[in-house]
Amino acid sequence: QVQLVQSGAEVKKPGASVRVSCKASGYAFTKNGIIWVRQARGQGLEWMGWISASTGDTKYAQKIQGRVTMTRDTSTSTAYMELRSLTSDDTAVYYCARPKNTVTDDTFDIWGQGTMVTVSA
Amino acid sequence: DIQMTQSPSSLSASVGDRVTITCRASETIGRYLNWYQHKPGKAPNLLIYAALSLQTGVPSRFSGSGSGTDFTLTISSLQPEDFATYICQQSYASPYTFGQGTKLEIK
């Protein structure tokens, strides 16, 4: 079936970087993009950005621009999100998701299971 | 960024009840509004897209309405598996923003 499977939980120290992976299966990976969303404890969902799985084009939220890089490997149908210069404010569950349509990137019908990233000294 | 405000933030109801949740956008977004169901430890699940279209596989007791700035999600007859958090999301303009969620609890 169509699914996204994310990498496991991470614990990082302030100032470090984290990379979360998202492996797609059950559909043609390059037909859709991948978006990343995070949710800090007690907070709402926050859209972080999007990557085109076919071209690698990216679009990032202004709040984290400069600290985030989204990439993809079409040979393994895997998307990656790297976040640098981590602070405690980055402690959150990180989700990847697939846009429902192949043309637009605004509605998300398949989600990964989430990856907990904890930033702590 | 477009701000999305949901009300109420939490709601207690019983199995069989009809429930309505409201979402308001800080500016007009046409019908570019989605609803998700989110259970603890699980991935969010798309219920309604484009304000009133039911996602494939979602029970027909879920329905959406509204346009412009005001939207509603209605569950016509609550089932035990419906107790969860419901989240709206505007798909009108990037960055795509989400409401804070409405937690639906068992009375």
Side-chain angles (χ1 to χ4, degrees):
Chain A
Q1 77 275 26
V2 177
Q3 62 177 351
L4 299 172
V5 178
Q6 297 182 224
S7 49
E10 302 265 13
V11 179
K12 297 292 182 181
K13 294 197 180 302
S17 299
V18 68
R19 190 173 85 151
V20 179
S21 68
C22 171
K23 183 172 176 60
S25 61
Y27 74 98
F29 179 65
T30 55
K31 292 279 190 188
N32 302 72
I34 292 286
I35 66 100
W36 290 89
V37 169
R38 67 180 178 179
Q39 185 172 34
R41 191 176 189 88
Q43 303 295 310
L45 294 166
E46 177 188 14
W47 180 87
M48 298 177 66
W50 161 89
I51 182 167
S52 165
S54 58
T55 66
D57 289 345
T58 55
K59 188 167 51 176
Y60 301 135
Q62 191 168 13
K63 179 180 175 182
I64 54 172
Q65 182 101 31
R67 289 203 299 132
V68 66
T69 301
M70 295 177 188
T71 57
R72 93 284 186 231
D73 181 342
T74 56
S75 69
T76 60
S77 298
T78 303
Y80 299 92
M81 186 283 300
E82 180 185 42
L83 190 60
R84 300 177 292 279
S85 302
L86 293 168
T87 73
S88 57
D89 289 345
D90 297 314
T91 294
V93 178
Y94 289 74
Y95 295 98
C96 62
R98 184 190 79 164
K100 176 177 169 68
N101 296 318
T102 58
V103 176
T104 60
D105 64 346
D106 51 24
T107 298
F108 321 123
D109 67 339
I110 304 295
W111 292 68
Q113 82 276 20
T115 297
M116 182 72 217
V117 174
T118 303
V119 183
S120 174
Chain B
D1 299 357
I2 298 173
Q3 305 302 313
M4 306 301 294
T5 303
Q6 287 183 236
S7 60
S9 56
S10 64
L11 175 60
S12 293
S14 301
V15 172
D17 284 354
R18 180 183 180 88
V19 166
T20 297
I21 296 167
T22 297
C23 178
R24 174 165 287 176
S26 61
E27 60 186 82
T28 186
I29 58 170
R31 285 209 163 120
Y32 290 89
L33 191 284
N34 306 318
W35 289 98
Y36 299 86
Q37 178 191 67
H38 195 190
K39 296 181 178 179
K42 303 274 191 174
N45 182 41
L46 177 65
L47 300 174
I48 302 284
Y49 62 96
L52 41 78
S53 296
L54 195 66
Q55 172 68 356
T56 302
V58 173
S60 59
R61 63 181 179 272
F62 291 92
S63 64
S65 65
S67 65
T69 60
D70 294 312
F71 302 86
T72 59
L73 172 71
T74 299
I75 309 171
S76 60
S77 178
L78 274 175
Q79 298 302 300
E81 60 269 28
D82 298 340
F83 293 95
T85 296
Y86 293 86
I87 302 165
C88 63
Q89 174 239 330
Q90 62 84 11
S91 54
Y92 180 76
S94 177
Y96 304 117
T97 45
F98 297 83
Q100 285 294 104
T102 295
K103 187 173 184 179
L104 181 52
E105 298 174 307
I106 301 173
K107 185 183 287 184

